[in-house]
Amino acid sequence: MTIPTSATWLEDAWQQGVSKTIRNAKRIKDTFPHISVQGVYDKNDPEWWTAGFWPGLLWLVYRAAPESEAAPSLRRINDSCERQLEGCLRDPDSVDHDLGFIWLLSGVVSYRQTGSEDGRRRGLLAANLLAARFHVRGQFIRAWNFSSSMMDTRGVAIMDSMMNLPLLYWASEQSGDPRFRWLAEAHADTVAREFVRADGSVCHVVEFDPHTGQKLREHGGQGHAPGSAWARGTAWALYGFALSFRYTGEARYLGTAERTADFFLAMLGEDIVPLWDFRAPAEHQVAWDSSAAAITASGLLELAKLSPRGHIYAAAGERIVRGLYEHYSSGELAAEEGLIMQGTVHYPEGRGINVPIIYGDYFYMEALAKLRGSEGLF
Ligand code: GLY
């Protein structure tokens, strides 16, 4: 399935995203934005799981025009971000399973784009820390370190983890050591079995007994409740399983990616942006998640290259990206730094509701880059 599209809307959307990102870089510099509040991106800690998306966004823009006037300053910003992120690797308490999100979009892309040995070294260090989170008895990667009265996080895995596995696949390719890949596959198999339901919906959080590894219970997490269908979790599943298939060639991952993608598309219908949870009760149908739409669009464009039904996923991915551009982008609006509007971070905790989010922007631009014929960064 070939994807590259040449269309006026696509070039307009890409150029608009590039211009705004270059403008934003002059203010945001080497800090770590998460959500845009009243038009201005906040500053987050480099430890937070979202810290890779700003460097990743800058790498997408850099890669498309490495000789441009802006390119040297984008490189400098990314070098500084990467050095700050490396600081976190020295404190095991500050790193979670999100090392893939962070390092695939910083050190690893820096190595791939420029041959940076520092990027490769840091990426491999991050992969080792991620591998060390593997729970042998439960065959999953532990998600978080924090203590909680709601659950024992020593035994917790979450859906988002599927996007972190490419760091392990990459580490096996780089080092020639297959252990990273075996761990990633073992985790993916656990997630496919314990998180993905027969109808293609997924749960966000599963708690296992930290001593025996037996599954204890589901938690709603960022979704409404156990049994509901958090939209972004579904997006992580369809993109993450597509990536596991791409890296391993194991057909079972393709089947899971297709099942979750089919569920997302059936629930989305003619819409572009889903509710934050496909099964949110009527009184909570007040928040939407454009980041789930952007992740899904980019994931579908990945699946389009892998699946015998690729033409369906390519058409759906393009429809969603175009819809984001035409109906959700902030466009030329100078008073808004975010690229796409109406994402939701964490509805149950009331955080970041109907706002631009940095990972929504990243995946929107990644999907546009794919439509223009480039690869994603995962
Ligand atoms: N927990 C990661 C996310 O919000 O998708």
Side-chain angles (χ1 to χ4, degrees):
M1 180 89 236
T2 48
I3 293 170
T5 305
S6 65
T8 311
W9 76 265
L10 176 58
E11 279 319 296
D12 289 348
W14 175 256
Q15 289 310 332
Q16 204 170 75
V18 167
S19 303
K20 193 162 268 197
T21 301
I22 290 172
R23 191 199 74 174
N24 288 348
K26 293 185 180 129
R27 191 198 66 77
I28 294 173
K29 300 193 177 78
D30 56 350
T31 64
F32 297 95
H34 181 199
I35 59 171
S36 165
V37 180
Q38 293 179 343
V40 179
Y41 262 119
D42 63 355
K43 287 185 188 176
N44 225 294
D45 299 326
E47 287 84 7
W48 193 236
W49 76 277
T50 54
F53 292 107
W54 175 238
L57 186 52
L58 297 188
W59 277 118
L60 289 176
V61 172
Y62 172 88
R63 181 182 66 174
E67 306 300 331
S68 68
E69 199 186 326
S73 82
L74 302 185
R75 277 281 292 276
R76 277 195 298 278
I77 291 173
N78 274 354
D79 286 349
S80 171
C81 286
E82 206 182 301
R83 283 195 301 276
Q84 295 176 68
L85 293 170
E86 184 180 22
C88 306
L89 298 180
R90 296 193 199 102
D91 175 8
D93 286 337
S94 79
V95 295
D96 288 308
H97 74 130
D98 301 303
L99 287 156
F101 280 118
I102 293 170
W103 284 96
L104 288 161
L105 299 182
S106 56
V108 173
V109 60
S110 159
Y111 171 62
R112 284 175 167 154
Q113 285 298 306
T114 72
S116 161
E117 283 301 324
D118 277 336
R120 180 177 182 278
R121 177 179 59 75
R122 292 163 179 154
L124 286 173
L125 177 56
N128 276 277
L129 289 170
L130 182 56
R133 303 185 69 79
F134 189 71
H135 191 297
V136 174
R137 291 191 175 171
Q139 298 283 290
F140 63 84
I141 293 171
R142 178 182 174 182
W144 301 313
N145 301 337
F146 60 78
S147 303
S148 162
S149 56
M150 312 273 288
M151 61 186 84
D152 185 341
T153 60
R154 293 176 302 170
V156 164
I158 67 171
M159 190 66 242
D160 334 12
S161 60
M162 288 304 299
M163 293 299 288
N164 294 311
L165 300 186
L167 183 66
L168 298 178
Y169 298 129
W170 172 82
S172 270
E173 286 168 9
Q174 283 298 309
S175 63
D177 183 340
R179 288 174 306 154
F180 298 100
R181 173 181 166 168
W182 301 145
L183 292 186
E185 287 194 22
H187 177 79
D189 290 338
T190 301
V191 173
R193 190 181 65 246
E194 307 293 2
F195 288 64
V196 184
R197 308 180 187 118
D199 65 358
S201 68
V202 305
C203 67
H204 183 201
V205 176
V206 172
E207 183 178 359
F208 300 85
D209 184 309
H211 301 290
T212 65
Q214 294 299 305
K215 183 177 181 178
L216 294 176
R217 60 188 71 84
E218 286 184 21
H219 295 268
Q222 284 164 263
H224 171 65
S228 74
W230 180 41
R232 192 161 63 249
T234 322
W236 294 140
L238 72 91
Y239 197 167
F241 278 103
L243 289 168
S244 272
F245 175 63
R246 195 187 83 202
Y247 279 96
T248 67
E250 295 292 340
R252 62 190 186 278
Y253 300 139
L254 177 61
T256 308
E258 290 173 331
R259 193 147 47 96
T260 48
D262 293 345
F263 175 81
F264 192 106
L265 291 175
M267 297 306 281
L268 188 65
E270 299 300 309
D271 290 344
I272 294 154
V273 166
L275 278 170
W276 64 283
D277 189 313
F278 290 117
R279 293 179 178 143
E283 67 273 25
H284 294 298
Q285 294 185 5
V286 292
W288 285 263
D289 189 9
S290 59
S291 79
I295 296 159
T296 294
S298 194
L300 291 173
L301 295 175
E302 202 66 45
L303 203 45
K305 294 182 275 184
L306 304 169
S307 163
R309 292 191 285 130
H311 58 288
I312 296 172
Y313 298 124
E318 182 172 341
R319 183 187 79 81
I320 295 170
V321 190
R322 185 171 183 167
L324 286 173
Y325 168 59
E326 291 179 348
H327 303 289
Y328 290 85
S329 77
S330 62
E332 309 291 347
L333 192 65
E336 175 56 66
E337 289 184 342
L339 302 185
I340 57 169
M341 313 299 285
Q342 246 177 323
T344 289
V345 171
H346 197 319
Y347 183 86
E349 289 186 358
R351 290 194 279 118
I353 314 279
N354 294 325
V355 292
I357 312 176
I358 194 65
Y359 42 85
D361 288 1
Y362 169 81
F363 285 103
Y364 170 64
M365 289 296 277
E366 187 188 75
L368 289 170
K370 285 181 182 176
L371 285 175
R372 297 174 83 243
S374 298
E375 300 292 322
L377 301 185
F378 280 84

